Amino acid sequence: MFVGMDLDKNYLQVAVMDEKGKVLQNSRIDNDLKQLDRFFDKIGSPSRVVMESSCVWYNIYRHLSEERHFDVVLSNPIKTRAIASAKIKTDKLDAAKLADLLRGGYIAECYVPDRRTMDLRELVRHRAALVRMRTKLKNKVHGVMLMKGITISDAPYPFTQKYNEKLKELNDYRINGYLNVIESLDREIKDVSDKILQLAKNDEMAKLLMTIPGIGYYSALLIVGEIGDINRFPDSYHLCSYAGLVPSTHSSGGTTYNGRITKTGSRYLRWIMQECVYVHIRTAKDSNITRFYNRLAKKNGKSKAAVAAASKLLKVVYWVMKEKREYHHS
């Protein structure tokens, strides 16, 4: 039996199909693990189970794979839909299509990291989310100041202690409200950063990555969490493709055109590599990557040069992780 599951936050549509393609059952059940267990107790153990990646997949996937020991496949929804596109789309049809594609071996699978890597990934992403929230609030403060024509000349560095004291003296209810939330976020970010620092000190791969100029403890753990098992990438180009740091390509009539980067895959990995490359350029002024950046910046501008240099830096990350050795300057 092959089972296809269409997931929703409130319910699950589950289609059961035999090896000949006959749908044995196509039922809707509540999104509840006890209900799911009762369903599988009735039908028995399937050969394989497939579900699409969504906001609710993780808990169900872990339960079926770790608690019930089923062979569970996580489907890439974009690539799978390209194979199983249809004019008529319902939950029942989607569940049956997933089961049928699984039966035929046409599912485009997603990589599922182990529990430790997943926990690490969620921790560093949580910090990134907190920092984004804080940045939005700081921009709100700047917006109020611009609207009211306020400048603080005797505290040149924004959001330092002295700068914040000057802001509070303005006695603006909006600025004071934003500052209160920013200070709360500062404490949360510090607590999470302390946890990440302790993990980085005990993670061998993170310590190796920190030997690369431009990569600190936070970026090292984010890279480890986003990449997971480095051996799933056959070469460094595939890793850059996963990060969306390769140019899009269109070939027609014997002519090949290279466009903007694809921006597919892990946006967190793409973001952190572009952040790290600027630090690398400042701190390793005579490295191959910095020289490459400087040559390209004169020709194509700093923005494009930084993206290309980030791709090269990610290739260095690949070999450090692949060979489990420290970075050596060249």
Side-chain angles (χ1 to χ4, degrees):
M1 292 186 298
F2 300 90
V3 176
M5 300 177 63
D6 189 74
L7 310 182
D8 182 84
K9 63 180 181 180
N10 297 318
Y11 63 86
L12 311 172
Q13 189 71 39
V14 188
V16 183
M17 184 175 289
D18 66 16
E19 59 183 3
K20 294 182 179 180
K22 181 182 178 181
V23 178
L24 305 176
Q25 193 170 347
N26 200 334
S27 305
R28 176 179 290 193
I29 62 175
D30 293 337
N31 190 344
D32 178 77
L33 296 182
K34 292 181 179 178
Q35 292 277 356
L36 192 61
D37 282 338
R38 282 196 286 269
F39 177 86
F40 280 108
D41 288 340
K42 290 179 181 178
I43 69 167
S45 296
S47 298
R48 300 187 83 189
V49 178
V50 61
M51 65 185 70
E52 279 192 336
S53 176
S54 66
C55 60
V56 297
W57 72 270
Y58 184 70
N59 190 42
I60 299 169
Y61 181 96
R62 288 299 179 197
H63 178 73
L64 293 180
S65 61
E66 295 181 2
E67 301 297 328
R68 299 198 65 111
H69 306 291
F70 291 164
D71 182 3
V72 187
V73 176
L74 186 66
S75 167
N76 185 316
I78 297 174
K79 294 182 179 179
T80 301
R81 284 192 185 121
I83 299 170
S85 58
K87 296 288 185 182
I88 302 173
K89 180 173 170 56
T90 66
D91 294 336
K92 271 193 171 185
L93 288 175
D94 283 354
K97 283 175 193 171
L98 284 170
D100 198 27
L101 290 169
L102 180 65
R103 182 179 68 92
Y106 295 111
I107 291 293
E109 295 186 34
C110 290
Y111 166 70
V112 180
D114 57 40
R115 185 178 291 274
R116 178 188 174 278
T117 304
M118 194 69 180
D119 291 343
L120 179 61
R121 181 181 291 184
E122 291 304 313
L123 179 64
V124 292
R125 286 183 178 184
H126 175 59
R127 183 187 182 278
L130 292 175
V131 172
R132 283 197 301 271
M133 291 168 61
R134 184 176 64 180
T135 301
K136 287 181 180 179
L137 290 170
K138 289 180 178 180
N139 289 336
K140 291 282 189 183
V141 173
H142 287 309
V144 173
M145 293 173 67
L146 285 171
M147 184 179 69
K148 300 183 73 171
I150 298 170
T151 57
I152 299 177
S153 56
D154 52 346
Y157 299 105
F159 300 103
T160 58
Q161 184 176 353
K162 183 178 180 181
Y163 188 90
N164 288 351
E165 288 173 357
K166 294 291 182 181
L167 285 175
K168 290 177 181 178
E169 289 175 4
L170 299 173
N171 200 28
D172 185 286
Y173 71 96
R174 292 166 296 178
I175 291 177
N176 289 340
Y178 292 141
L179 286 177
N180 289 336
V181 182
I182 288 170
E183 289 171 359
S184 177
L185 285 171
D186 283 338
R187 292 191 294 271
E188 291 294 327
I189 292 169
K190 183 181 182 305
D191 290 342
V192 176
S193 297
D194 290 342
K195 292 178 183 177
I196 292 173
L197 178 59
Q198 290 303 316
L199 287 173
K201 288 179 178 179
N202 297 317
D203 190 289
E204 292 302 321
M205 193 63 73
K207 287 193 284 188
L208 290 175
L209 289 176
M210 283 189 284
T211 63
I212 304 173
I215 296 181
Y217 72 92
Y218 171 72
S219 50
L221 272 191
L222 192 150
I223 291 167
V224 170
E226 291 299 317
I227 292 176
D229 182 10
I230 192 64
N231 293 313
R232 66 192 179 101
F233 300 101
D235 52 48
S236 59
Y237 179 84
H238 280 79
L239 176 58
C240 291
S241 179
Y242 171 71
L245 285 172
V246 295
S248 56
T249 304
H250 175 72
S251 183
S252 178
T255 305
T256 300
Y257 304 91
N258 290 322
R260 297 175 179 272
I261 58 173
T262 60
K263 292 188 178 181
T264 56
S266 172
R267 63 186 177 92
Y268 289 95
L269 184 58
R270 181 170 60 255
W271 163 71
I272 201 64
M273 294 312 303
Q274 291 181 85
E275 293 293 317
C276 290
V277 79
Y278 285 111
V279 182
H280 180 94
I281 292 164
R282 290 198 304 269
T283 56
K285 296 185 180 299
D286 60 342
S287 73
N288 285 339
I289 293 172
T290 303
R291 290 194 293 268
F292 169 79
Y293 167 82
N294 290 331
R295 287 197 306 270
L296 203 60
K298 292 177 183 177
K299 182 180 178 182
N300 296 328
K302 292 182 179 181
S303 180
K304 290 182 178 179
V307 173
S311 182
K312 279 193 171 293
L313 186 62
L314 187 54
K315 290 179 180 179
V316 173
V317 167
Y318 174 85
W319 288 111
V320 167
M321 294 182 71
K322 185 76 173 178
E323 298 183 357
K324 297 180 180 178
R325 61 175 174 81
E326 294 184 0
Y327 168 80
H328 296 289
H329 171 70
S330 60

Short mmCIF file of all heavy atoms in Angstrom, two decimals, residues 133 137 176-186:
data_model
loop_
_atom_site.label_atom_id
_atom_site.label_comp_id
_atom_site.label_asym_id
_atom_site.label_seq_id
_atom_site.Cartn_x
_atom_site.Cartn_y
_atom_site.Cartn_z
N MET A 133 12.72 41.79 13.54
CA MET A 133 11.70 42.54 14.26
C MET A 133 12.30 43.81 14.86
O MET A 133 11.70 44.90 14.79
CB MET A 133 11.09 41.68 15.36
CG MET A 133 10.24 40.53 14.84
SD MET A 133 9.81 39.33 16.13
CE MET A 133 8.88 40.34 17.25
N LEU A 137 11.48 47.94 14.03
CA LEU A 137 11.13 48.93 15.05
C LEU A 137 12.10 50.12 15.03
O LEU A 137 11.69 51.27 15.22
CB LEU A 137 11.12 48.27 16.43
CG LEU A 137 9.97 47.29 16.68
CD1 LEU A 137 10.20 46.52 17.96
CD2 LEU A 137 8.64 48.03 16.74
N ASN A 176 8.89 56.27 22.58
CA ASN A 176 9.04 55.57 23.86
C ASN A 176 8.50 54.14 23.78
O ASN A 176 9.09 53.21 24.33
CB ASN A 176 8.33 56.34 24.96
CG ASN A 176 9.05 57.63 25.31
OD1 ASN A 176 10.24 57.78 25.01
ND2 ASN A 176 8.34 58.57 25.93
N GLY A 177 7.37 53.98 23.10
CA GLY A 177 6.79 52.64 22.95
C GLY A 177 7.70 51.73 22.15
O GLY A 177 7.92 50.57 22.51
N TYR A 178 8.24 52.25 21.03
CA TYR A 178 9.16 51.45 20.21
C TYR A 178 10.42 51.09 21.00
O TYR A 178 10.92 49.96 20.92
CB TYR A 178 9.54 52.22 18.95
CG TYR A 178 8.41 52.42 17.97
CD1 TYR A 178 8.28 53.63 17.27
CD2 TYR A 178 7.48 51.41 17.72
CE1 TYR A 178 7.24 53.82 16.38
CE2 TYR A 178 6.45 51.61 16.82
CZ TYR A 178 6.33 52.81 16.15
OH TYR A 178 5.31 53.00 15.25
N LEU A 179 10.94 52.05 21.78
CA LEU A 179 12.16 51.79 22.54
C LEU A 179 11.95 50.71 23.60
O LEU A 179 12.84 49.88 23.86
CB LEU A 179 12.66 53.07 23.20
CG LEU A 179 13.31 54.10 22.29
CD1 LEU A 179 13.67 55.36 23.08
CD2 LEU A 179 14.55 53.52 21.61
N ASN A 180 10.78 50.71 24.24
CA ASN A 180 10.48 49.67 25.23
C ASN A 180 10.52 48.28 24.61
O ASN A 180 11.07 47.34 25.19
CB ASN A 180 9.11 49.93 25.86
CG ASN A 180 9.10 51.13 26.78
OD1 ASN A 180 10.15 51.51 27.31
ND2 ASN A 180 7.94 51.73 26.98
N VAL A 181 9.93 48.15 23.42
CA VAL A 181 9.93 46.85 22.75
C VAL A 181 11.33 46.49 22.27
O VAL A 181 11.75 45.32 22.35
CB VAL A 181 8.93 46.85 21.57
CG1 VAL A 181 8.90 45.47 20.90
CG2 VAL A 181 7.54 47.23 22.04
N ILE A 182 12.08 47.48 21.76
CA ILE A 182 13.46 47.23 21.31
C ILE A 182 14.32 46.73 22.46
O ILE A 182 15.11 45.78 22.31
CB ILE A 182 14.06 48.52 20.70
CG1 ILE A 182 13.40 48.80 19.34
CG2 ILE A 182 15.57 48.39 20.53
CD1 ILE A 182 13.74 50.17 18.76
N GLU A 183 14.18 47.33 23.63
CA GLU A 183 14.97 46.90 24.79
C GLU A 183 14.60 45.48 25.20
O GLU A 183 15.47 44.69 25.59
CB GLU A 183 14.74 47.87 25.96
CG GLU A 183 15.40 49.23 25.73
CD GLU A 183 14.99 50.26 26.77
OE1 GLU A 183 14.18 49.90 27.67
OE2 GLU A 183 15.48 51.41 26.71
N SER A 184 13.33 45.13 25.10
CA SER A 184 12.90 43.76 25.39
C SER A 184 13.49 42.78 24.38
O SER A 184 13.98 41.70 24.74
CB SER A 184 11.37 43.68 25.37
OG SER A 184 10.93 42.35 25.58
N LEU A 185 13.49 43.17 23.10
CA LEU A 185 14.08 42.32 22.07
C LEU A 185 15.58 42.19 22.25
O LEU A 185 16.16 41.12 21.99
CB LEU A 185 13.77 42.89 20.68
CG LEU A 185 12.33 42.70 20.18
CD1 LEU A 185 12.11 43.49 18.90
CD2 LEU A 185 12.02 41.23 19.95
N ASP A 186 16.24 43.26 22.71
CA ASP A 186 17.68 43.20 22.97
C ASP A 186 17.99 42.09 23.99
O ASP A 186 18.96 41.33 23.82
CB ASP A 186 18.19 44.53 23.52
CG ASP A 186 18.33 45.58 22.42
OD1 ASP A 186 18.44 45.20 21.25
OD2 ASP A 186 18.33 46.79 22.75
#
